């Protein structure tokens, strides 16, 4: 299993009614592991009906392993994790986390990076943008949000300066074609936000001749879906998966041992064989052929077509 | 036809093909006998936005006419290319067709300008000759068609390997009788 870290909430800063910034330090005065920009942390959140493990991007890490900073959105469709962070965590609360990992690392050969964020998808992009800025490297940052939240995001993006960072209220406030057309050779796109937005970025850029490998995206789970039950073929037993719960959360709540890392369908650690039923794939890890075969599922993001699924667990 | 080799560094060139949906396409060639219009007619007359050709000859001026541009030498073309790519935008595709030496020179310029392997394509045209780099004195010997050569730089008898350097656009040449002095392998035609 992954090494776990004991963290203490050092600062708690409500940026808006639904956005909470936390500064986490080591609970036992150790140095925190160093992280690369784009890394995320999986927090163990002891909610009432079992444990939730949620992934949060590290927006900033202190020099010399002094702190990690994260921003957590309390969403009405929360699986319970973000509600717990907002309502239960106070300064000096202690919680466990897995060691950070990174699936959105910076391309070392990029001449420029173009960041496109939607809502709380701003979080990994903040770390990437800060790293580029500190090295004096070119970047351009566009952030989408609701009109009400524009001031909050403007203050988050203020360090990058006008002309580099821009906040857009509403999804049609920016013409992607014009934006993509004027990017110099050697530009990479990093996008994080609602799936529909990331899909639009990918579709429009590739239609204009951008290779797919120039577009990096990160999503942390695509919400819920229809409830279903999962049958464990080897150990026996059935586990219900609620509509607002991931399959991985359901398995973990039932103490089924399963290795996981990114919880976003990217790393492939939780890949599980399927014996019966049809998976509804939502990950970026399995190939198109593997998805079509229906023999594997990534329980961190994927669900079931139909009422049941049998796993080789 | 692609000769197979157990050496992984030996480039494999795919048949000529072009990417759809790009903003701007530029093809470069050092084969003036290759009529650019024949490249164009492979697909659509307007396939390439610009065609750059090394014609050779001191009277050639780098003038542009209907997207066709002539150059007096490879170095004139590559210098112009580096300057041009510095001002280009994403969505560009670069194609280079010609001798192995030439196409890998343009590949280096493309990489330095930020193009990734998905954004430039190389096509080898002409005879199966190689440029060979001497492992001992680093001199490049061009237009090689046999497996044993005399290095232009140090005069060593070199055995031509399949190992290819993308940086130098050349194959490795090693002292042919290094293991047993005086005993040379038989000479064969390169494939």
């Amino acid at each position: 299993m992954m090494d776990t870290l004991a963290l203490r909430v050092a600062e708690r800063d409500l940026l808006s009614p639904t956005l909470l910034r936390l500064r986490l330090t080591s609970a036992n005065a150790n140095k925190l592991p160093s992280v690369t920009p784009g890394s995320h942390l999986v927090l163990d959140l002891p909610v009432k009906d079992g444990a939730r493990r949620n992934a949060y991007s590290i927006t900033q890490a202190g020099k010399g392993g002094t702190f990690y900073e994260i921003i957590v959105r309390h969403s009405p469709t929360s699986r319970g994790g973000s509600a717990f962070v907002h309502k239960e965590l106070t300064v000096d609360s202690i919680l466990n986390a897995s060691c950070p990992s990174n699936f959105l690392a910076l391309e070392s050969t990029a001449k420029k990076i173009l960041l496109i964020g939607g809502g709380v998808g701003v979080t990994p992009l903040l770390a990437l943008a800060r790293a580029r800025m500190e090295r004096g490297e070119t970047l351009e940052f566009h952030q989408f949000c609701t009109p009400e939240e524009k001031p909050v995001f403007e203050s988050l993006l203020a360090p990058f300066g006008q002309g580099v960072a821009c906040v857009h209220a509403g999804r049609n406030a920016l013409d992607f074609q014009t934006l993509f057309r004027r990017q110099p050779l050697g530009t990479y796109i990093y996008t994080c936000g609602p799936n529909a937005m990331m899909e639009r970025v990918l579709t429009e850029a590739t239609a204009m001749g951008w290779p797919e490998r120039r577009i990096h995206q990160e999503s942390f789970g695509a919400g819920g879906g229809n409830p279903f039950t999962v049958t464990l073929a080897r150990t026996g037993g059935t586990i219900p998966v609620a509509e607002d719960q991931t399959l991985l959360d359901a398995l973990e709540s039932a103490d089924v041992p399963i290795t996981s890392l990114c919880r976003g369908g990217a790393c492939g650690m939780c890949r599980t064989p399927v014996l019966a039923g049809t998976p509804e794939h939502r990950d970026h890890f399995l190939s198109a052929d593997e998805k079509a075969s229906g023999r594997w599922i990534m329980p961190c993001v994927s669900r079931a077509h139909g009422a049941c699924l049998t796993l080789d667990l | 036809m692609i000769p197979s080799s157990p050496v992984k560094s030996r480039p494999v060139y795919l048949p000529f093909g072009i990417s759809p949906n790009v903003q701007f396409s530029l093809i470069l060639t050092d084969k003036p006998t290759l009529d650019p219009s024949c490249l164009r007619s492979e697909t659509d007359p307007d396939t390439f936005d610009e065609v750059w050709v090394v014609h050779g000859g001191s009277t050639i001026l780098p003038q542009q006419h209907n997207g066709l541009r002539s150059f007096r030498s490879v170095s004139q073309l590559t210098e112009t290319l580096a300057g041009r790519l510095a001002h280009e935008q994403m969505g560009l595709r670069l194609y280079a067709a010609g001798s192995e030496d030439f196409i890998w020179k343009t590949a280096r310029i493309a990489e330095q300008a930020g193009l990734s392997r998905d954004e430039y394509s190389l096509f080898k045209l002409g005879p199966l000759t190689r440029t060979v780099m001497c492992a001992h004195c680093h001199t490049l010997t061009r237009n090689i068609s046999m497996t044993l050569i005399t290095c232009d730089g140090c005069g060593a008898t070199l055995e031509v390997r399949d190992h290819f350097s993308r940086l130098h656009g050349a194959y490795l040449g090693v002292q042919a009788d290094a293991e047993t002095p005086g005993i040379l392998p038989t000479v064969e035609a390169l494939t």
Side-chain angles (χ1 to χ4, degrees):
Chain A
M1 277 306 284
M2 300 292 302
D3 289 332
T4 53
L5 297 172
L7 299 174
R8 186 179 68 87
V9 178
E11 284 175 38
R12 194 180 176 283
D13 184 10
L14 200 60
L15 304 174
S16 83
T18 63
L19 289 172
L20 178 68
R21 180 162 59 196
L22 294 179
R23 183 170 281 209
L24 306 166
T25 57
S26 172
N28 41 32
N30 291 336
K31 267 167 78 170
L32 294 170
S34 66
V35 293
T36 49
S39 297
H40 69 266
L41 194 63
V42 177
L43 298 183
D44 288 337
L45 303 168
V47 298
K48 275 190 226 81
D49 55 342
R52 285 285 151 87
R53 306 189 69 222
N54 283 10
Y56 297 104
S57 292
I58 297 172
T59 55
Q60 190 179 359
K63 296 241 173 345
T66 46
F67 66 87
Y68 298 146
E69 204 169 80
I70 60 171
I71 296 175
V72 179
R73 162 86 83 191
H74 179 205
S75 68
T77 57
S78 162
R79 290 177 274 139
S82 69
F84 176 87
V85 171
H86 274 253
K87 290 177 186 151
E88 310 291 334
L89 287 185
T90 56
V91 170
D92 286 336
S93 293
I94 303 289
L95 60 156
N96 285 326
S98 67
C99 271
S101 47
N102 193 343
F103 297 98
L104 197 70
L106 282 170
E107 293 274 357
S108 61
T109 59
K111 299 274 180 188
K112 175 177 176 178
I113 65 167
L114 176 63
L115 304 142
I116 301 172
V120 77
V122 72
T123 51
L125 307 185
L126 285 172
L128 298 175
R130 186 174 282 112
R132 291 278 299 186
M133 190 179 68
E134 282 171 1
R135 297 179 206 154
E137 296 169 334
T138 315
L139 70 119
E140 184 172 341
F141 198 155
H142 293 275
Q143 173 67 28
F144 292 91
C145 66
T146 59
E148 302 78 63
E149 287 195 319
K150 202 175 176 205
V152 180
F153 284 99
E154 276 174 341
S155 69
L156 284 174
L157 267 59
F160 309 113
Q162 282 188 339
V164 170
C166 191
V167 179
H168 307 274
R171 67 187 62 179
N172 297 318
L174 177 68
D175 178 18
F176 281 161
Q177 288 201 8
T178 313
L179 176 69
F180 296 160
R181 190 167 289 127
R182 64 172 170 77
Q183 297 307 318
L185 291 180
T187 303
Y188 280 87
I189 293 177
Y190 286 83
T191 180
C192 185
N195 279 328
M197 184 201 80
M198 295 198 294
E199 201 53 44
R200 219 183 105 209
V201 168
L202 184 68
T203 312
E204 296 206 20
T206 49
M208 293 175 67
W210 289 60
E212 232 177 284
R213 272 180 276 202
R214 289 223 172 252
I215 300 149
H216 296 297
Q217 43 180 283
E218 181 154 271
S219 57
F220 285 136
N226 292 326
F228 59 100
T229 52
V230 56
T231 305
L232 307 179
R234 261 190 278 165
T235 48
T238 52
I239 299 165
V241 183
E243 57 193 4
D244 64 345
Q245 191 182 28
T246 66
L247 173 53
L248 181 60
D249 280 335
L251 293 170
E252 286 176 342
S253 302
D255 289 327
V256 179
I258 181 160
T259 315
S260 69
L261 187 55
C262 76
R263 307 183 86 85
C267 74
M269 290 292 281
C270 66
R271 188 174 77 150
T272 304
V274 176
L275 299 177
T278 312
E280 180 201 338
H281 297 289
R282 295 182 180 183
D283 62 279
H284 304 294
F285 178 80
L286 295 175
S287 70
D289 286 347
E290 286 172 323
K291 284 179 182 171
S293 79
R295 291 178 52 219
W296 305 96
I297 190 168
M298 312 299 300
C300 61
V301 288
S302 299
R303 305 182 67 84
H305 281 302
C308 27
L309 204 59
T310 305
L311 302 180
D312 188 14
L313 284 173
Chain B
M1 198 178 72
I2 302 161
S4 62
S5 168
V7 176
K8 279 185 189 164
S9 69
R10 183 166 186 189
V12 175
Y13 301 99
L14 300 174
F16 194 79
I18 55 159
S19 327
N21 306 330
V22 300
Q23 298 297 299
F24 190 86
S25 60
L26 170 60
I27 182 163
L28 320 165
T29 180
D30 67 342
K31 301 284 177 207
T33 49
L34 174 88
D35 181 1
S37 65
C38 93
L39 274 179
R40 288 173 177 226
S41 66
E42 271 202 6
T43 45
D44 186 274
D46 298 321
T47 300
F48 302 104
D49 295 293
E50 281 185 36
V51 180
W52 291 12
V53 183
V54 179
H55 274 285
S58 57
T59 56
I60 301 289
L61 293 172
Q63 282 166 343
Q64 190 162 332
H65 180 69
N66 283 342
L68 178 64
R69 205 166 174 180
S70 298
F71 293 87
R72 65 192 284 168
S73 65
V74 168
S75 55
Q76 190 188 38
L77 180 144
T78 51
E79 279 167 27
T80 313
L81 179 66
R84 172 67 174 272
L85 292 181
H87 304 287
E88 282 294 338
Q89 273 79 44
M90 286 295 294
L92 175 136
R93 284 294 182 286
L94 190 69
Y95 302 87
S99 67
E100 208 161 32
D101 208 22
F102 170 74
I103 60 181
W104 286 99
K105 250 180 210 140
T106 64
R108 271 184 71 195
I109 293 167
E111 293 271 355
Q112 282 162 2
L115 287 174
S116 63
R117 201 60 194 86
D118 299 321
E119 293 161 292
Y120 66 87
S121 309
L122 307 178
F123 307 99
K124 193 182 162 191
L125 301 176
L128 281 173
T129 56
R130 298 187 186 184
T131 296
V132 176
M133 187 185 207
C134 176
H136 314 285
C137 77
H138 300 181
T139 301
L140 296 178
T141 307
R142 294 173 207 278
N143 300 318
I144 298 306
S145 57
M146 304 305 278
T147 53
L148 281 191
I149 65 160
T150 304
C151 174
D152 271 356
C154 63
T157 302
L158 301 177
E159 184 181 14
V160 180
R161 299 274 177 85
D162 277 348
H163 298 90
F164 184 78
S165 160
R166 279 153 174 73
L167 181 67
H168 301 288
Y171 291 86
L172 182 67
V174 193
Q175 179 81 40
D177 59 352
E179 298 295 324
T180 43
I183 308 291
L184 293 173
T186 50
V187 187
E188 286 169 37
L190 287 167
T191 52

